[in-house]
């Protein structure tokens, strides 16, 4: 009888041990601790193209909070809840610069930086209205030319220059979060 | 003596398995309050009646079409096999899975998910996959969906994934350890509250507007599967405007539909014709419709379905009428409760992310 009791205890203990093992870093009910809407950012370094606005460096995949602290109140702000409440996608507008963020474990990261007009320019001096030749002179040959955009890659970011008639029509920095 | 030992050994093994099974039942998320979207896939199997129209896709189907309105106004039997951020391969395998149980006349797929060409999130994967019954379709769905840091074995034994939830257990986990309540109305997620649509940010220009190869290939598989089974496939873009649906994407889907001889309807430009008033017909500032919007959408879509397909009006069929009356009663009761909470508290207390258990 004692032996059976021992075996029963052993069984329960084994089950409990199996349950208790492993890390508890991703315990959230729906697993949001592990991933994000656009991809996993926990291991993504913000080591890509740098855009500077009002003296503040903004890099795709960087945490947004220090940027909002430095830049202050945005001109416009928009947020949307993702399906099943897996965090919020936020859009901050500072004058002619629009920053989209993505959430990961309650932290917002820079997803895209869009330059809306020719009052702002990249660090290398390219603005909307620059020529495609100007872009190539500053940045060299792109990683990809889609026919409507020149795509440059650096670290965990891309820099896209949309163009029409050989003139830059859009400038967007993107985070790579695969 | 040997026999005794053998029996004792068996007992230990059986008990261990039993304990683990019980712990797994306890620890896996129940999705009964708050984030109920994780219950949707599993709920489909509880509905034993067949459906002539099957919707598949993301929140743009399960929040924008009232299945009850389709029944009440047209006698259409329908089910929405939707889940949060359901990606195209999820939709394909969920369709494949549903076809093991029934063959609808029309399958409706919402195309917004084509914007994603790779898995996005473990949380969404779980909500789209965990509720599936085991089949080759589920295995293939897992394989197509896993993120880099996910393991197949975690889907086979969810306890491995959720073992550390023990410190987060709520009353729901104990109450629903063996059974769950219905959270949808044949897949439709009800919200009666209103939050008017505001101004959306301008869409961000993309370097490349080409829809992803993987996503498009799964939509092609959907077309092929429907053709093989004699099912009419209808591609739709729900009438909501955010997240932005680029014209370039719309053109590609329209071309795909034309090439494959299937219908494609983008409902965004038809908001007025549908009768949608986005200052009243949305509960989250324009991302999804609320119940009044979903009823308008279902009424408009039901008229189109009835006109274009040989669907049966089952309202005069006693068997179906009895089944659907229960659904209508459940729908009306939930609607009443939501309006009551809105009137009493000014917001929903038992529904949505902030629901109190």
């Amino acid at each position: 009888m004692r032996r059976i009791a021992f075996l029963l205890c052993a069984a329960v203990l084994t089950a409990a041990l199996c349950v208790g093992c492993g890390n508890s870093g991703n315990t959230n009910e729906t697993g949001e601790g592990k991933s994000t809407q656009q991809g996993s950012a926990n291991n993504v370094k913000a080591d890509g193209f740098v855009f500077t606005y009002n003296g503040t460096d903004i890099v795709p995949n960087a945490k947004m909070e220090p940027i909002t602290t430095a830049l202050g109140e945005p001109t416009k702000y928009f947020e949307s809840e993702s399906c099943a409440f897996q965090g919020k996608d936020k859009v901050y507008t500072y004058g002619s610069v629009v920053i989209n963020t993505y959430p990961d474990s309650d932290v917002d990261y820079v997803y895209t930086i869009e330059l809306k007009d020719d009052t702002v320019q990249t660090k290398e001096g390219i603005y909307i209205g620059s020529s495609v030749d100007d872009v190539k002179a500053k940045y060299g040959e792109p990683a990809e030319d889609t026919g409507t955009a020149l795509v440059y890659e650096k670290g965990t970011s891309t820099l896209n220059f949309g163009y029409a008639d050989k003139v830059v029509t859009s400038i967007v920095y993107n985070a790579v979060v695969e | 003596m040997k026999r005794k030992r053998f029996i004792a050994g068996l007992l230990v093994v059986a008990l261990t398995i039993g304990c683990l099974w019980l712990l797994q039942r306890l620890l896996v998320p129940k999705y009964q309050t708050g984030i109920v979207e994780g219950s949707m896939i599993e709920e489909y199997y509880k509905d034993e009646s067949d459906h002539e129209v099957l919707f598949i896709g993301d929140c743009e189907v399960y929040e924008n079409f009232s299945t009850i309105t389709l029944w009440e106004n047209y006698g259409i039997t329908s089910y929405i096999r939707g889940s949060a951020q359901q990606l195209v391969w999820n939709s394909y395998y969920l369709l494949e899975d549903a076809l093991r149980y029934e063959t609808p006349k029309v399958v409706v797929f919402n195309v917004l998910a084509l914007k994603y060409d790779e898995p996005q999130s473990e949380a969404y994967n779980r909500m789209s996959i965990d509720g599936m019954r085991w089949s080759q379709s589920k295995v293939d769905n897992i394989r197509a969906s896993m993120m880099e840091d996910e393991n197949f074995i975690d889907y086979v034994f969810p306890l491995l994934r959720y073992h550390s939830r023990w410190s987060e257990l709520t009353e729901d986990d104990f109450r629903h350890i063996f059974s769950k309540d219905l959270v949808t109305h044949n897949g439709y997620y009800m919200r009666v509250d209103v939050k008017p649509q505001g101004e959306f940010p301008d869409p961000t220009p993309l370097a490349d507007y080409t829809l992803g190869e993987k996503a498009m290939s799964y939509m092609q598989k959907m077309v092929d599967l429907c053709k093989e089974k004699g099912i009419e496939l209808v591609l739709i873009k729900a009438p909501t405007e955010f997240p932005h649906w680029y014209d370039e994407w719309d053109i590609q889907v329209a071309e795909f539909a034309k090439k494959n001889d299937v219908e494609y309807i983008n409902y965004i430009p038809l908001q007025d014709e549908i009768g949608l008033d986005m200052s009243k017909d949305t509960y989250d500032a324009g991302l999804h419709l609320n119940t009044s919007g979903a009823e308008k959408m279902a009424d408009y879509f039901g008229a189109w379905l009835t006109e274009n397909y040989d669907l049966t009006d089952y309202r005069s069929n006693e068997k179906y009428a009895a089944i659907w009356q229960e659904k209508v009663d459940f729908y009306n009761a939930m609607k009443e409760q939501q309006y009551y909470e809105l009137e009493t508290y000014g917001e929903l207390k038992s529904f949505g992310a902030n629901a109190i258990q």
Side-chain angles (χ1 to χ4, degrees), chain B residues 26-76:
Chain B
L26 179 67
L27 290 168
V28 292
K30 307 300 182 294
Y31 304 109
Q32 287 287 281
T33 312
I35 302 170
V36 298
E37 286 87 339
S39 285
M40 292 176 171
I41 294 302
E42 186 182 351
E43 261 189 28
Y44 170 76
Y45 305 107
K46 289 182 185 165
D47 195 63
E48 287 174 0
S49 65
D50 51 307
H51 316 101
E52 286 203 337
V53 176
L54 182 73
F55 293 81
I56 44 171
D58 53 16
C59 51
E60 290 207 344
V61 285
Y62 71 72
E63 300 197 39
N64 291 347
F65 293 85
S66 164
T67 49
I68 300 302
T69 301
L70 283 173
W71 165 259
E72 286 187 315
N73 295 4
Y74 302 99
I76 293 173

Side-chain angles (χ1 to χ4, degrees), chain B residues 40-51 53-54 77-80 101-102 133 182 184-187 320 323-324 326-327:
Chain B
M40 292 176 171
I41 294 302
E42 186 182 351
E43 261 189 28
Y44 170 76
Y45 305 107
K46 289 182 185 165
D47 195 63
E48 287 174 0
S49 65
D50 51 307
H51 316 101
V53 176
L54 182 73
T77 56
S78 66
Y79 200 98
I80 300 171
Y101 301 94
E102 60 178 335
R133 284 183 183 163
L182 290 181
T184 72
H185 306 274
N186 272 39
Y320 283 93
I323 291 170
W324 278 83
E326 267 184 44
K327 296 174 190 293

Side-chain angles (χ1 to χ4, degrees), chain B residues 86-300:
Chain B
Q86 190 181 106
L87 302 178
V88 189
W89 40 96
N90 296 140
S91 300
Y92 172 76
Y93 290 116
L94 284 164
L95 171 62
E96 202 179 72
D97 178 59
L99 298 188
R100 295 164 60 218
Y101 301 94
E102 60 178 335
T103 308
K105 286 184 178 173
V106 179
V107 164
V108 182
F109 172 63
N110 186 66
V111 296
L112 180 66
L114 289 166
K115 67 187 273 194
Y116 299 111
D117 202 41
E118 54 193 48
Q120 299 293 304
S121 149
E122 189 231 5
Y124 290 126
N125 279 347
R126 286 285 175 181
M127 284 190 256
S128 290
I129 297 170
D130 275 346
M132 287 178 82
R133 284 183 183 163
W134 278 102
S135 67
Q136 189 58 46
S137 302
K138 179 166 180 169
V139 171
D140 293 341
N141 198 359
I142 296 168
R143 285 193 177 132
S145 306
M146 277 194 304
M147 307 274 293
E148 245 176 48
D149 53 356
E150 287 189 78
N151 299 306
F152 187 87
I153 193 76
D154 292 349
Y155 283 91
V156 181
F157 300 111
L159 181 61
L160 297 172
R161 167 64 183 88
Y162 294 112
H163 59 80
S164 47
R165 268 195 81 236
W166 60 270
S167 58
E168 298 169 12
L169 293 179
T170 65
E171 202 188 317
D172 260 6
D173 289 298
F174 294 94
R175 196 188 308 149
H176 297 290
I177 189 166
F178 296 118
S179 69
K180 287 190 187 178
D181 297 333
L182 290 181
V183 296
T184 72
H185 306 274
N186 272 39
Y188 167 63
Y189 172 74
M190 178 185 283
R191 287 292 294 265
V192 304
D193 42 333
V194 179
K195 186 178 176 188
Q197 180 171 307
E199 192 189 340
F200 293 128
D202 292 337
T204 306
L206 305 181
D208 188 356
Y209 291 88
T210 311
L211 290 165
E213 212 173 296
K214 178 175 173 180
M216 290 301 280
S217 75
Y218 273 97
M219 189 159 74
Q220 184 65 56
K221 279 163 80 84
M222 233 179 266
V223 169
D224 297 342
L225 182 61
C226 285
K227 282 192 175 157
E228 185 193 317
K229 301 278 183 184
I231 299 166
E232 301 283 355
L233 178 65
V234 178
L235 307 176
I236 58 156
K237 169 63 194 77
T240 38
E241 295 168 58
F242 191 86
H244 188 72
W245 180 246
Y246 293 91
D247 288 345
E248 291 85 348
W249 292 349
D250 198 54
I251 291 166
Q252 288 168 71
V253 177
E255 281 171 358
F256 174 91
K258 194 177 172 191
K259 187 180 151 201
N260 286 282
D261 196 24
V262 296
E263 288 286 349
Y264 169 55
I265 306 167
N266 178 355
Y267 284 104
I268 296 172
L270 300 176
Q271 276 189 3
D272 288 343
E273 206 177 307
I274 296 162
L276 292 172
D277 174 352
M278 295 306 278
S279 68
K280 293 176 185 163
D281 290 329
T282 167
Y283 76 89
D284 56 2
L287 274 68
H288 308 99
L289 300 179
N290 59 15
T291 302
S292 75
E295 289 178 351
K296 287 177 187 175
M297 186 66 226
D299 183 52
Y300 185 88

